[in-house]
Amino acid sequence: MNVTTSTLSLTVADVTASQEFLTTHLGYQVAMAADGFASLTREDAAVDIVLLAKGTEVLPAEQRDQQAAGLILALTVSDLAAHEARLRAAGAPITMPLREEPWGERLFQLTDPNGVVVQLVEWVTPAGPDAS
């Protein structure tokens, strides 16, 4: 198998709200859109995102009323602090402030209007007991 691209498909109550959040705050661009559907992309290595309206008949009946929940869309970036400052200044809904974990992960989270959690991550070398 040769994977040529990765796409995350999210079922949400309000496609337009998530589309605006992702294009305004995270630099996604609309590749195509129709009523109850949007396909978003970026020119870098980020995962593409498809937004589907809850209840859409495109989905199998058992999936139509489900919504994106319990997942975190994690995007690894450089210059994390600058992105956090930019997003905070823009009024983006930062729902977990910038922090650093002992294993070297720096991160913060935003939550879109449909409850989709987006985590921006930057990896740093943790300072261990042998660090000088």
Side-chain angles (χ1 to χ4, degrees):
M1 170 172 41
N2 180 32
V3 177
T4 59
T5 190
S6 296
T7 303
L8 178 64
S9 183
L10 301 170
T11 304
V12 296
D14 186 343
V15 169
T16 302
S18 285
Q19 175 183 319
E20 288 176 3
F21 173 87
L22 291 163
T23 57
T24 299
H25 296 303
L26 299 177
Y28 274 87
Q29 300 168 357
V30 177
M32 52 183 132
D35 187 35
F37 165 84
S39 176
L40 308 176
T41 190
R42 287 181 48 101
E43 293 183 12
D44 57 15
V47 64
D48 290 343
I49 298 174
V50 167
L51 301 167
L52 295 171
K54 179 181 174 184
T56 185
E57 293 185 12
V58 172
L59 296 170
E62 67 274 8
Q63 295 177 7
R64 289 181 191 156
D65 291 327
Q66 295 178 2
Q67 287 188 168
L71 70 89
I72 296 172
L73 170 59
L75 302 172
T76 302
V77 300
S78 57
D79 204 2
L80 183 70
H83 290 298
E84 193 267 349
R86 173 186 62 83
L87 289 162
R88 189 172 296 284
I94 295 175
T95 51
M96 186 178 79
L98 182 63
R99 69 185 203 200
E100 186 169 327
E101 301 296 350
W103 52 85
E105 181 183 27
R106 295 182 72 219
L107 66 144
F108 70 93
Q109 292 180 348
L110 305 102
T111 302
D112 96 334
N114 286 293
V116 175
V117 176
V118 179
Q119 179 174 287
L120 297 185
V121 178
E122 180 177 51
W123 292 93
V124 295
T125 304
D130 297 67
S132 28

